[in-house]
Amino acid sequence: MGTSVGHAHGPYTLYDLDAMPDNGRRHELADGWLTELPGDMWHDNAAEVLKTILKNAVRQDGADLHVAGLPQDVTTPAGVRKPDVFVVSRDVARTALESRTRRTYYGPDLLFVAEVVSPRTGSEISDRVTKVNEYAKIGIQHYWIIDLEPRPKVTALELDSGRYRVRHKVKAGDELATEHPFPIGFDPARLSEME
């Protein structure tokens, strides 16, 4: 992680995360270790497209929800995460915005999280395994794993008795239609298009 990190070999702290240089790279802190999050145009575009789809669905539904995501922090028992896309109630978003002492959202406040997988990176295992367990443990009701290769696919997980169960697995060319966490319908192919 370079000399800017306080401890050359970990474990790292929130202070080390805050001391990371602002060079366009993003990091998460989990269980004392810093993980660099890959950010490429394809990944970031998919996250932005999904945010737009969800914002439109929330608006049409009239739900009192707020859609957010990178670069905002979310605190979990493991540390600090930066979900690509997440949904909280408007009250939680308002409180976070008005509070100058809060730097993050709290994991249990999240109603929905989506992670766009970057294949062949350290974050892929985190998105597919570590976060599945971590997010379920803190009670996040809906977790979507977005794959962009070879074609976009959404795996929608829903919390059931403390564990995630696959509710939908939809690939490009098909329609993902769900009522949870609010009515949403779209073809995952849109995640690889410019909005």
Side-chain angles (χ1 to χ4, degrees), residues 8 13 27 52 64 71 80 103 113 118 125 142 153 156 180 187:
T13 68
H27 295 83
T52 300
D64 198 23
V80 176
R103 63 169 273 152
V113 173
S118 293
I125 292 172
H142 302 275
K153 176 177 74 176
H180 306 285
D187 180 340

Side-chain angles (χ1 to χ4, degrees), residues 32-151:
W33 299 102
L34 291 169
T35 303
E36 184 174 330
L37 300 177
D40 59 46
M41 256 185 347
W42 202 25
H43 170 280
D44 293 352
N45 180 68
E48 285 304 314
V49 170
L50 182 59
K51 273 194 242 179
T52 300
I53 290 168
L54 295 176
K55 285 178 181 181
N56 289 337
V58 164
R59 197 173 300 116
Q60 286 180 346
D61 186 52
D64 198 23
L65 300 172
H66 176 70
V67 179
L70 275 172
Q72 297 175 0
D73 292 342
V74 172
T75 301
T76 72
V80 176
R81 297 293 189 185
K82 294 182 185 299
D84 293 319
V85 181
F86 62 89
V87 175
V88 294
S89 73
R90 281 213 177 275
D91 287 342
V92 166
R94 195 173 296 110
T95 300
L97 187 61
E98 292 171 353
S99 172
R100 301 274 184 217
T101 58
R102 251 178 96 170
R103 63 169 273 152
T104 68
Y105 287 95
Y106 297 108
D109 289 336
L110 277 60
L111 308 171
F112 167 96
V113 173
E115 296 285 5
V116 179
V117 174
S118 293
R120 302 167 297 282
T121 66
S123 71
E124 179 178 15
I125 292 172
S126 180
D127 290 345
R128 293 189 193 283
V129 179
T130 310
K131 290 178 184 176
V132 169
N133 295 321
E134 184 179 335
Y135 292 166
K137 203 176 287 185
I138 59 175
I140 298 172
Q141 194 64 37
H142 302 275
Y143 179 41
W144 287 8
I145 299 172
I146 312 292
D147 288 287
L148 299 176
E149 295 180 15
R151 296 176 56 217

Side-chain angles (χ1 to χ4, degrees), residues 178-193:
T178 183
E179 294 296 313
H180 306 285
F182 41 83
I184 308 165
F186 70 98
D187 180 340
R190 287 183 58 195
L191 300 175
S192 63
E193 300 170 357

